[in-house]
Amino acid sequence: MTIITPNYYNKFKCIADKCKHSCCIGWEIDIDDTTLKKYNNLKSDFANRLKSNISLANAPHFKLDKSERCPFLNEQGLCDIILNEGEDMLCQICADHPRFRNYYGDFTEIGLGLACEAAAKIILTNKEIAALNLTPKALELPIIKFRENIFDILQDREFSIDERVENLLTFIGAQLPFDADWYTVFNNLEKMDKAWDKYLLHIKDGIDCYTDNSLDAAYEQLLVYLIFRHLLDSQYDDYLKERVLFAVLIYKVIKKINTSNTLEELLEIARIYSCEIEYSDENIDTILSKLR
Ligand code: SF4
């Protein structure tokens, strides 16, 4: 199996106790079968605590406390499983996060996801051209060539980011629907964080953005990330152009919401967007269907 990753991939390191929005709070953490067996075979002092905090209802998962914290996230913001049993005893979801995987034929693409603030910072503050370690075989595939053309358009720094987006729309021969009420579409999706409700108010009057170009470098990385993460899934649903439009739409929504036009706020909006939209297939499908 060939693994393809972006060139910033290896820079990621969890910031653990310094993380303001830990992935160990608010998410149900399912435990895969292999890890569950390892836990059941543990004989350490810590093992009883570990086993008593697992629920087997539906899929095996850790029982979150009243504040929706993982029971092994300690007061210092560190993971007691790692501290007591080592990193190898993390379940697959915890070991993977914030990485995502996309499968295509005999290769797998692995990226970092914006839902993690440390990963979002690496992705959106990357000053280099984001590139993939594509093999000659992968480069022969039409969808990969198509995506490389899109990356070339988005990374053409001769143009402003808004001009690049226009060039991209011309390239695919499509436009965002003029009359769509995106506020209602996003507001009716399944939501988790009240901060997202507040942010969405900024698109009540539409998604047309200001033309300030000071954050073009970060928005370029955002658009490339969105195409990298979502385009190949068109193999499952045939939403090829729609997935390009999805990237353009998310760019415009995030830019419109970022009223302060600061990198700091962009990082936070991108993080919340990812938590709200990218971890819900239903939410993504609803948006894609509005782009058809
Ligand atoms: S969200 Fe990212 S930085 Fe924060 S605890 Fe999770 S993996 Fe670590």
Side-chain angles (χ1 to χ4, degrees):
M1 177 71 71
T2 305
I3 303 291
I4 292 169
T5 53
N7 51 359
Y8 53 74
Y9 180 76
N10 288 327
K11 290 185 183 167
F12 176 72
K13 192 160 176 17
C14 171
I15 53 174
D17 54 325
K18 294 183 187 62
C19 181
K20 291 199 287 284
H21 305 280
S22 171
C23 53
C24 312
I25 303 172
W27 302 80
E28 181 172 302
I29 305 160
D30 290 342
I31 306 163
D32 52 287
D33 291 344
T34 310
T35 308
L36 189 63
K37 267 187 212 145
K38 284 204 271 184
Y39 291 167
N40 285 333
N41 290 334
L42 271 182
K43 297 276 185 280
S44 64
D45 290 345
F46 179 73
N48 287 342
R49 182 181 154 210
L50 181 56
K51 289 175 207 169
S52 66
N53 276 292
I54 292 172
S55 165
L56 298 177
N58 302 317
H61 59 274
F62 295 120
K63 298 174 189 167
L64 301 186
D65 71 11
K66 279 191 211 125
S67 321
E68 300 217 305
R69 287 169 69 95
C70 171
F72 301 105
L73 178 64
N74 68 26
E75 289 306 313
Q76 289 73 44
L78 299 172
C79 173
D80 279 343
I81 297 179
I82 296 180
L83 294 176
N84 284 276
E85 300 293 341
E87 216 157 317
D88 289 350
M89 289 307 269
L90 287 179
C91 61
Q92 197 59 48
I93 285 183
C94 293
D96 272 357
H97 191 81
R99 298 164 190 86
F100 63 85
R101 286 181 161 73
N102 287 330
Y103 301 93
Y104 198 89
D106 58 0
F107 62 88
T108 300
E109 295 193 335
I110 311 180
L112 304 177
L114 289 174
C116 158
E117 63 190 61
K121 196 166 181 187
I122 289 168
I123 297 165
L124 299 182
T125 63
N126 182 20
K127 295 283 175 261
E128 290 165 24
I129 295 276
L132 305 170
N133 58 335
L134 291 167
T135 60
K137 198 174 161 202
L139 274 165
E140 281 170 17
L141 295 165
I143 184 134
I144 298 294
K145 282 187 195 158
F146 177 67
R147 192 177 63 183
E148 286 295 297
N149 285 332
I150 292 176
F151 288 160
D152 287 345
I153 293 168
L154 292 175
Q155 293 170 330
D156 186 347
R157 296 178 179 176
E158 291 284 303
F159 296 97
S160 74
I161 198 67
D162 288 320
E163 288 167 333
R164 290 179 242 172
V165 167
E166 282 310 311
N167 293 343
L168 174 59
L169 293 174
T170 305
F171 174 66
I172 64 163
Q175 291 291 332
L176 288 177
F178 277 117
D179 50 355
D181 176 358
W182 292 114
Y183 172 72
T184 303
V185 172
F186 279 84
N187 200 38
N188 286 341
L189 298 176
E190 183 194 352
K191 283 182 276 170
M192 302 192 310
D193 190 334
K194 294 230 177 315
W196 187 235
D197 282 320
K198 267 194 175 166
Y199 275 139
L200 288 180
L201 294 176
H202 294 299
I203 61 166
K204 253 188 156 173
D205 61 347
I207 56 170
D208 282 336
C209 306
Y210 50 88
T211 51
D212 183 299
N213 300 123
S214 54
L215 292 182
D216 274 15
Y219 284 121
E220 170 193 311
Q221 300 293 350
L222 173 69
L223 280 154
V224 169
Y225 161 87
L226 291 165
I227 295 289
F228 171 56
R229 180 160 188 167
H230 297 290
L231 191 73
L232 286 199
D233 275 351
S234 60
Q235 68 186 305
Y236 303 116
D237 57 19
D238 221 17
Y239 280 138
L240 183 64
K241 280 189 184 178
E242 289 79 359
R243 286 180 178 276
V244 180
L245 290 175
F246 174 86
V248 172
L249 173 67
I250 297 301
Y251 154 69
K252 283 182 175 278
V253 167
I254 289 179
K255 192 168 182 181
K256 182 73 190 287
I257 289 173
N258 185 7
T259 51
S260 68
N261 197 29
T262 58
L263 180 63
E264 198 180 33
E265 193 169 12
L266 171 59
L267 290 170
E268 176 61 359
I269 298 166
R271 184 193 67 76
I272 298 189
Y273 142 74
S274 181
C275 295
E276 295 287 329
I277 309 291
E278 292 189 321
Y279 287 84
S280 165
D281 289 341
E282 211 180 320
N283 284 353
I284 289 186
D285 285 347
T286 302
I287 296 171
L288 288 172
S289 67
K290 305 285 179 197
L291 291 164
R292 179 137 273 194

